Amino acid sequence: MKVPTLGAAQIEQALISPASVFDRPDEIVDTPALARIMKIELLKRWELDARALQRATEENMCGGESTDIDAVNAALLKLDPEGKALADFQKTPTKL
């Protein structure tokens, strides 16, 4: 983790940008201070950020640090092996 402790301020920051608080998606899964539903929400936001960066790169715009979308999905599957949380999320368009 990029922060020494995970308090309310860090959780709020993670909701804005999960990668600013966590180094890897699987760190979210392993954080006992977060409820399962919060972990899923953070991972979904991380995937949205990764997809936005991917689109920007495809359009020859510079972006930030890239994230492996497969790593985010693997972390989500650890929390939701049946894929119920992912089902609706994967219907979200990746390009507008």
Side-chain angles (χ1 to χ4, degrees):
M1 257 188 343
K2 296 178 180 173
V3 297
T5 61
L6 192 64
Q10 291 76 25
I11 292 172
E12 283 185 41
Q13 179 61 35
L15 285 168
I16 295 167
S17 173
S20 70
V21 177
F22 297 95
D23 291 319
R24 299 175 321 277
D26 61 331
E27 284 184 346
I28 293 173
V29 175
D30 298 333
T31 302
L34 296 172
R36 179 179 170 271
I37 193 74
M38 177 62 77
K39 292 176 182 183
I40 291 170
E41 180 63 27
L42 290 172
L43 289 167
K44 287 180 177 184
R45 289 174 188 239
W46 200 327
E47 183 172 5
L48 284 174
D49 291 347
R51 290 188 186 280
L53 180 59
Q54 187 178 43
R55 281 191 312 275
T57 302
E58 288 172 0
E59 295 170 0
N60 294 322
M61 292 184 260
C62 332
E65 191 177 320
S66 68
T67 299
D68 182 7
I69 293 174
D70 291 336
V72 177
N73 284 330
L76 276 166
L77 285 174
K78 286 180 186 177
L79 295 170
D80 183 29
E82 296 172 4
K84 291 181 180 179
L86 281 175
D88 291 332
F89 184 68
Q90 290 177 337
K91 294 177 187 172
T92 305
T94 57
K95 257 191 173 173
L96 299 175

